[in-house]
Amino acid sequence: MLFNLDFVCLVGSALPVRTRRFTLKQYLQFAHALVETSDGQQTLVDRPLAQLGAKRRVALSLPYFVPAIFAIAQTDLILTVPRRLAEVTAPMTGVRVVEPPREIKAFPYFMAWHPRLTTEPAHHWFREQLRIAARTI
């Protein structure tokens, strides 16, 4: 594991909410932009919601986070993104950052490789460099 990532909600300027954190009810009430990672869903957000019997109302689906952030800037849509991405992009797009419902949890970010490379010296060196870099994030 390299690090844990958590989510925040980016809110377009046309959505009149002033809360610091969405409740699940509020979160589900509004329309969402979705960065589709698998079969019409953003897996790390939508699977936990589905386990609760909940589903977001998706108004816009895009394949990448950065264009999605710019796309919602002047709308009434909510976009759920990793916090670190929001910290970099929110100031330049004018979106507001709102904490997600507590039901949307952080997730671990893992490094993976083929087992045959475990003892390969160059690959071992590269993995260690990634671990060092991840500690600074």
Side-chain angles (χ1 to χ4, degrees), residues 24-87:
L24 183 58
K25 182 179 177 182
Q26 289 170 321
Y27 183 76
L28 297 174
Q29 164 187 352
F30 299 111
H32 291 255
L34 169 78
V35 174
E36 186 174 338
T37 57
S38 176
D39 299 325
Q41 65 177 343
Q42 185 177 349
T43 310
L44 293 171
V45 174
D46 292 308
R47 278 189 187 160
L49 292 176
Q51 290 174 346
L52 298 170
K55 185 174 181 174
R56 297 187 287 172
R57 188 167 44 94
V58 176
L60 175 66
S61 181
L62 293 164
Y64 304 107
F65 281 110
V66 174
I69 294 167
F70 282 93
I72 69 146
Q74 295 181 10
T75 71
D76 62 351
L77 299 176
I78 295 171
L79 177 65
T80 306
V81 302
R83 181 179 304 276
R84 291 185 179 139
L85 178 61
E87 290 169 351

